[in-house]
Amino acid sequence: MKNVIRRWETFLRLERLTSASDMFKARTVYVAALGFFVVQLANFVQMYFAYGGWILDHTLLLVAVSIFIGSALSLRYHANFDFFSALWGVIILLGVGGTSLPTNVGINSALLPIMIAGTVLIALLGSRRSLIFYCLSASLMVICLYINSGQADLSVMSNPDYIALRNSQRTIQALIAITLCGLVLGLMSYSMTKLFQKLEFNLDIAQKAEAAKTQFLADMSHELRTPLNGVLGMNQLLLRTNLNDMQRNYAEIVDDCGKGMIVVIDDILDLSRLEADKIALTETAFNPAKMLESINALYQANANAKNIELNVIIEPGLPAMFTGDHGRLRQIISNLINNAIKFTDTGYVTVSMRALDMQNGRWWMNFFVQDSGIGITPDRQAKIFQRFEQAQDGQTNTVRGSGLGLAICRELTDLFGGEISVTSEPGKGSLFCVALPLAAVVLNKSVSETLPERPLEVVMKRGVA
């Protein structure tokens, strides 16, 4: 059976269809056409013997079957499924009207399932507009048949032969509709099952490939870090020896490049750990004000080298101690300050901290990093927290980087259960805000006496720093 289907689809040249959706629609076309041909052949024979010869219904039936089969064969030359839905919808409506109006029989209950089968076919093959147009046309057809039924000759309804003939016809026509719907819906069920199996198989492959990539990144990062630390250590020893100015300059360049390489390797390691869900936050008590002052001291030399003013502003009245992962919070703030200095040529970089209202037993702490640098365009703002994305595009970017820092900041912020956002305007600088839920360590005073009452969303929206 599979060989027969394969040969039939080869004859129809269905291999040119690359979309799974188009392949499903093409199979719907030829299955419906073949099913219509088989059941109408039985209907044709039954009507011939019932009426004792050739009647108008035979002609209409022959035309309808020819169009169905001809349209299915046209799959060899085109795959315009809107054409099939429109053509078949017209055939069904004309067939229902053509067999009902001449004899004024009104609404033929056996033909209504065929109209319903048409609805299924058009829903699968055509657009929403085609489906709406068909449903409206079919409804109008039913109303017209009802109006026309008032002219029917009711005397024939008492004729036993007429009733028997009508019942047999309706049985055949109902079977046609059921068979068509069954074939099409069965094909749809089979195709969807195969599609889901393929999706699950591809998802499993993708997950294994992702796990292998993460493990590879972690392994390579460790392998690179070990010899690089050796190079940096030996270079530090070299800098302590008597070198002339040119040699010292070369050694310092090696030291700067090596430290930059270490940062990139650390980012890759963090990224691989985040992907593997191997980073867990550690709750420890720390002083956020002292943490910011420590980070400020670390980057003060970089800021001075570019004549940038680096300031830290701590809102008075804050609790001295909070609990949270001090190391990961320090990593987030350091990344933001490093980027701010990197993309600022003149002006300032300001780091500030504010405490907001309590939610679920934790205080929302807002950490702001504001600079007077080059700014970020609106289209880049939507992307900079994605991996391997930078504030500038590749053609105008004069500051190099891996594009991982802000992505790691976002993912670490998510681990905290917090939010990170940016407000920026090209040429006027940027404002990054990290809002994290942290628990204050209660010493002697009530926390509620020392914290201001300000909603989180208002401060973030206004970009106050």
Side-chain angles (χ1 to χ4, degrees), residues 78-147:
H78 75 93
N80 186 349
F81 298 105
D82 286 331
F83 163 78
F84 290 112
S85 65
L87 178 64
W88 289 6
V90 170
I91 293 172
I92 291 172
L93 294 178
L94 289 179
V96 172
T99 57
S100 301
L101 290 173
T103 55
N104 300 323
V105 295
I107 303 174
N108 190 333
S109 59
L111 294 176
L112 293 180
I114 297 180
M115 298 175 73
I116 297 173
T119 305
V120 174
L121 288 173
I122 293 172
L124 294 175
L125 297 177
S127 61
R128 284 179 293 180
R129 290 183 179 180
S130 301
L131 180 60
I132 292 172
F133 182 78
Y134 175 83
C135 290
L136 291 176
S137 301
S139 300
L140 183 61
M141 173 70 73
V142 170
I143 294 172
C144 290
L145 292 177
Y146 174 75
I147 295 173

Side-chain angles (χ1 to χ4, degrees), residues 270-316:
D270 283 337
L271 190 64
S272 63
R273 292 191 189 109
L274 285 167
E275 287 183 342
D277 293 328
K278 291 185 178 179
I279 289 185
L281 300 181
T282 304
E283 295 277 339
T284 57
F286 70 97
N287 187 322
K290 289 186 177 180
M291 179 196 72
L292 293 186
E293 292 172 359
S294 171
I295 298 174
N296 177 70
L298 180 65
Y299 285 97
Q300 195 66 55
N302 293 346
N304 292 339
K306 299 182 70 174
N307 290 322
I308 297 172
E309 185 179 352
L310 179 59
N311 299 314
V312 174
I313 300 176
I314 307 295
E315 187 176 74

Side-chain angles (χ1 to χ4, degrees), residues 363-377:
W363 290 95
W364 279 93
M365 297 296 297
N366 270 19
F367 298 88
F368 299 93
V369 178
Q370 187 171 17
D371 63 68
S372 59
I374 59 176
I376 308 169
T377 59

